Amino acid sequence: MTIRIGILGYGNLGRGVEAAVRQNPDMELAAVFTRRDPASLSIQTPSAKVLSVDEAEKMQDAIDVLILCGGSATDLPEQTPAMASLFNVVDSFDTHARIPEHFAAVDAAARAAGKVAVISCGWDPGMFSLNRLYAQCILPEGEDYTFWGRGVSQGHSDAVRRIDGVKDARQYTIPVEAAVEAVRRGENPSLTTRQKHTREVFVVAEEGADTARIEREIKTMPNYFDQYDTTVHFISAEEMQRDHSGLPHGGMVIRTGKTGLAKEHSHVVEYSLKLDSNPEFTSSVLLAFARAACRMAGEGQTGCKTVFDFPPAYLSPKSGEELRAHLL
Amino acid sequence: MTIRIGILGYGNLGRGVEAAVRQNPDMELAAVFTRRDPASLSIQTPSAKVLSVDEAEKMQDAIDVLILCGGSATDLPEQTPAMASLFNVVDSFDTHARIPEHFAAVDAAARAAGKVAVISCGWDPGMFSLNRLYAQCILPEGEDYTFWGRGVSQGHSDAVRRIDGVKDARQYTIPVEAAVEAVRRGENPSLTTRQKHTREVFVVAEEGADTARIEREIKTMPNYFDQYDTTVHFISAEEMQRDHSGLPHGGMVIRTGKTGLAKEHSHVVEYSLKLDSNPEFTSSVLLAFARAACRMAGEGQTGCKTVFDFPPAYLSPKSGEELRAHLL
């Protein structure tokens, strides 16, 4: 059976899903939905339809899983429950503090419609969450550490772009190497926000802008920068285009824990990602869980799920026999 | 509900399970079964019974999950199917090539008895397998690499001990750092057995033994050493005791893969373990899956399972709400 994928929202993430569908022979892209004028959208998959989101309901029989590619701030809290009434859905909702309320809203919609919905899928939340869970279950007595970067934070880049006199900006989150090494040595350090990450900002300023003021506004911006050691570089638009057009990211989840009757043995479990393209990797995770959602829906299950709820085998197109013979 | 654990076999692994039970507040050790004379066994848990394996059947109502702590060569192929007729069981069967036949035998026994059995649990097979599966599902186009070490291989240590003139031996498996770095850089190298790992052996020779012959016999031993660059050190019994009495191990699973319409982006996913005690970490994994097996059995499921078949949430004593709020 081919899994028919729909995409809602054709930004970096939506384009990443479109590309990733081609790497999964058991999937095909059926349609891209947009809130813009469909005629204005040029996609890379000739066989797929481009439709207004208002036409989604008509496509219920043509799509097995809809991938929601909007943002967590305003798009997904509305879109995921609405679309879970029509389709099996997967989103990458990443506002950690609001996950419980998002889960409740999506769960109610999906159950009422008899659909499976997966929220907060990607790498953090997502693969990092899974690794926190597995490592905590194996080593109940220990400490968790999550480091992000080196990578582009789009939220922080956007925040800098809103400063008066800034034409363009790119913000990199960087783990403090000494902190990472102390964790890896099993020292269980207590780390402040400042001790875990630094921030580096590249800014294209408007002609004649007061760069000293811009730098000061960045470094003192509450929550985004004031708790970090931040370095600011002013560069040309050409340098920005040449050196900072990618969206790399990554990071690591490390758990250190003790075992033994006298807790005499230490263990370090580390999961790390080095990603050339944050949105394309996230898209690839979304599709693996779309396959799992499809399988779970086929079993008659309904409601909202997370990465914690799927047997890992459900993510694979391979049979249980193949997995046991070749991957176990 | 407290999960009542039984242990069959009181070697390094069995002792590790006993210690790990104390770190899991929802578990208690009910009994240790042995093939030796129970009176000869001194365990660390006063409240637990020590019984002959022949008495296992009588303990069916007192044990929720039995952890099989025997060896893969001869113990588990017999014990796991036999015990799966009486209990929910978890084993760490690690002869990769024979997993399909072991699965079939255990599955038949567990289904007939209405029990859940988990085989091939630990870190490899086990956590490494899970990480191979997740990474392959996310990055369908890529390459997998598994490196082991630096750590003690008990099978290789035993093989050296069987050589004439060897009183004691410890073998360390060591990943070749240059190979690991090439993989991490995304170079997708084709690596021979020799290029991936080296072996280092510490030997206590008998008084007057021909050390040149021993070294030659080690280095040319088919399968165990002949395909590797091996270093042999002759040391005293005191040095062996002082420097090599632990059972550290570890390793890493790395997948590198491409995404993008033109496969223009590379990604590196790495899972690594640094373990002071191989048997204690393995024991800790076994107990996490014992909890999952117990939950699955409570749902009325039966048959043989692997790490691929359990929703990660089943490994945790925490509720879905807690996991979503704090770990996602």
Side-chain angles (χ1 to χ4, degrees):
Chain A
M1 189 198 81
T2 298
I3 300 169
R4 299 164 303 170
I5 299 292
I7 291 171
L8 171 51
Y10 197 65
N12 285 327
L13 197 57
R15 286 193 294 271
V17 172
E18 180 180 32
V21 164
R22 299 191 188 182
Q23 297 187 289
N24 288 283
D26 60 338
M27 298 184 176
E28 67 181 31
L29 182 64
V32 174
F33 299 101
T34 178
R35 287 176 298 187
R36 293 181 263 170
D37 173 9
S40 73
L41 224 65
S42 166
I43 68 169
Q44 304 292 322
T45 309
S47 59
K49 292 188 166 73
V50 180
L51 299 168
S52 162
V53 63
D54 303 326
E55 298 177 276
E57 193 162 0
K58 293 184 226 160
M59 290 293 285
Q60 280 190 79
D61 293 337
I63 288 170
D64 296 306
V65 188
L66 181 68
I67 315 292
L68 300 167
C69 299
S72 296
T74 55
D75 299 336
L76 298 177
E78 279 193 20
Q79 289 177 347
T80 311
M83 290 297 141
S85 303
L86 303 173
F87 302 98
N88 301 311
V89 298
V90 183
D91 83 15
S92 60
F93 184 78
D94 66 359
T95 312
H96 288 260
R98 299 187 60 192
I99 286 174
E101 64 187 285
H102 189 56
F103 181 90
V106 175
D107 192 50
R111 279 184 198 280
K115 303 295 181 187
V116 169
V118 188
I119 62 160
S120 302
C121 191
W123 60 274
D124 196 5
M127 295 310 298
F128 274 16
S129 322
L130 274 175
N131 278 279
R132 285 188 283 262
L133 174 59
Y134 277 118
Q136 279 194 17
C137 294
I138 295 168
L139 297 173
E141 298 185 51
E143 291 291 331
D144 275 326
Y145 296 87
T146 301
F147 293 95
W148 295 274
R150 186 173 196 259
V152 174
S153 163
Q154 303 205 57
H156 287 77
S157 300
D158 289 343
V160 174
R161 278 190 210 102
R162 287 191 290 266
I163 292 175
D164 195 46
V166 171
K167 262 171 78 175
D168 197 4
R170 206 73 84 253
Q171 193 271 183
Y172 293 89
T173 304
I174 304 165
V176 175
E177 199 55 37
V180 175
E181 288 307 321
V183 169
R184 284 187 181 138
R185 284 193 302 269
E187 293 175 9
N188 282 0
S190 293
L191 297 167
T192 63
T193 298
R194 192 178 301 275
Q195 287 169 326
K196 288 183 70 182
H197 297 92
T198 57
R199 299 196 178 279
E200 188 169 16
V201 189
F202 294 86
V203 177
V204 180
E206 281 168 9
E207 185 89 22
D210 178 352
T211 56
R213 174 193 49 81
I214 291 173
E215 179 164 346
R216 195 169 55 241
E217 284 193 37
I218 293 171
K219 290 185 172 178
T220 58
M221 194 184 294
N223 301 319
Y224 282 89
F225 291 99
D226 62 340
Q227 299 170 61
Y228 299 85
D229 290 333
T230 301
T231 312
V232 179
H233 309 275
F234 290 91
I235 61 174
S236 68
E238 294 68 36
E239 287 171 308
M240 181 65 83
Q241 170 66 24
R242 186 190 67 206
D243 302 333
H244 304 285
S245 59
L247 292 170
H249 219 315
M252 53 221 117
V253 170
I254 305 175
R255 185 167 179 88
T256 57
K258 303 275 188 187
T259 64
L261 281 175
K263 315 219 191 302
E264 65 273 33
H265 293 126
S266 294
H267 308 279
V268 182
V269 181
E270 175 168 348
Y271 179 77
S272 76
L273 296 173
K274 289 194 203 79
L275 312 176
D276 270 2
S277 166
N278 180 357
E280 287 180 6
F281 187 82
T282 300
S283 304
S284 299
V285 178
L286 293 175
L287 279 190
F289 281 91
R291 181 182 292 115
C294 206
R295 180 158 162 191
M296 209 172 248
E299 294 172 348
Q301 297 202 48
T302 65
C304 189
K305 315 285 176 187
T306 74
V307 295
F308 297 151
D309 300 313
F310 292 94
Y314 280 33
L315 276 65
S316 175
K318 294 180 179 159
S319 70
E321 289 76 11
E322 286 178 280
L323 295 179
R324 286 190 296 273
H326 302 297
L327 284 187
L328 196 60
Chain B
M1 190 198 80
T2 299
I3 301 170
R4 298 164 304 169
I5 299 292
I7 292 171
L8 171 51
Y10 196 65
N12 286 327
L13 198 58
R15 284 193 295 269
V17 172
E18 181 180 31
V21 164
R22 298 192 190 181
Q23 297 187 289
N24 288 282
D26 61 338
M27 299 185 176
E28 67 181 28
L29 182 63
V32 174
F33 298 101
T34 178
R35 288 176 298 186
R36 294 182 262 170
D37 173 9
S40 73
L41 222 67
S42 167
I43 70 169
Q44 304 292 323
T45 309
S47 59
K49 291 188 167 72
V50 181
L51 299 168
S52 162
V53 63
D54 302 327
E55 299 177 275
E57 193 162 359
K58 293 184 225 159
M59 291 292 286
Q60 280 189 81
D61 293 338
I63 288 171
D64 296 305
V65 188
L66 180 69
I67 315 293
L68 299 166
C69 298
S72 295
T74 55
D75 299 335
L76 298 177
E78 279 192 21
Q79 289 176 348
T80 312
M83 290 298 138
S85 303
L86 303 174
F87 302 98
N88 301 312
V89 298
V90 183
D91 83 15
S92 61
F93 184 78
D94 67 358
T95 312
H96 288 261
R98 299 186 61 192
I99 285 173
E101 62 186 288
H102 188 57
F103 181 90
V106 174
D107 192 50
R111 279 184 199 282
K115 303 295 182 186
V116 169
V118 189
I119 62 161
S120 301
C121 192
W123 58 273
D124 195 4
M127 294 311 298
F128 274 17
S129 321
L130 273 176
N131 278 280
R132 285 188 284 263
L133 175 59
Y134 277 117
Q136 280 194 18
C137 294
I138 296 169
L139 297 173
E141 299 186 50
E143 291 292 331
D144 275 326
Y145 297 87
T146 301
F147 294 95
W148 296 276
R150 188 175 196 258
V152 173
S153 162
Q154 304 206 56
H156 286 78
S157 300
D158 289 343
V160 174
R161 280 190 209 102
R162 287 191 292 266
I163 292 174
D164 195 46
V166 170
K167 261 170 76 175
D168 197 4
R170 207 73 84 255
Q171 194 271 186
Y172 293 88
T173 304
I174 305 165
V176 175
E177 199 52 40
V180 175
E181 288 307 321
V183 168
R184 284 187 181 139
R185 284 192 303 269
E187 293 175 9
N188 281 2
S190 292
L191 297 167
T192 63
T193 298
R194 192 178 301 275
Q195 288 169 326
K196 289 182 70 184
H197 297 92
T198 57
R199 299 196 178 280
E200 188 170 16
V201 189
F202 294 86
V203 178
V204 180
E206 283 168 8
E207 184 89 22
D210 178 352
T211 56
R213 174 192 50 80
I214 291 172
E215 179 163 349
R216 196 169 54 242
E217 283 193 40
I218 293 171
K219 290 185 172 177
T220 58
M221 195 184 293
N223 303 317
Y224 282 90
F225 291 99
D226 63 340
Q227 299 171 60
Y228 299 86
D229 291 333
T230 302
T231 312
V232 179
H233 309 276
F234 290 92
I235 61 174
S236 67
E238 293 68 37
E239 287 171 307
M240 181 65 83
Q241 169 66 23
R242 186 190 67 206
D243 301 333
H244 304 286
S245 59
L247 292 170
H249 219 314
M252 51 222 118
V253 169
I254 305 175
R255 186 167 179 88
T256 57
K258 303 275 189 186
T259 65
L261 281 175
K263 314 216 192 303
E264 65 274 33
H265 293 127
S266 295
H267 308 280
V268 182
V269 181
E270 176 169 346
Y271 179 77
S272 76
L273 296 174
K274 290 193 203 82
L275 313 176
D276 271 1
S277 166
N278 180 356
E280 286 180 6
F281 187 82
T282 301
S283 303
S284 300
V285 178
L286 293 174
L287 279 190
F289 280 92
R291 179 182 293 115
C294 205
R295 179 157 163 192
M296 209 173 247
E299 294 172 348
Q301 296 202 49
T302 65
C304 189
K305 314 286 175 188
T306 75
V307 293
F308 297 151
D309 300 313
F310 292 92
Y314 280 34
L315 277 65
S316 175
K318 294 179 179 158
S319 70
E321 290 74 11
E322 284 177 281
L323 295 179
R324 286 191 296 273
H326 302 297
L327 284 187
L328 196 60

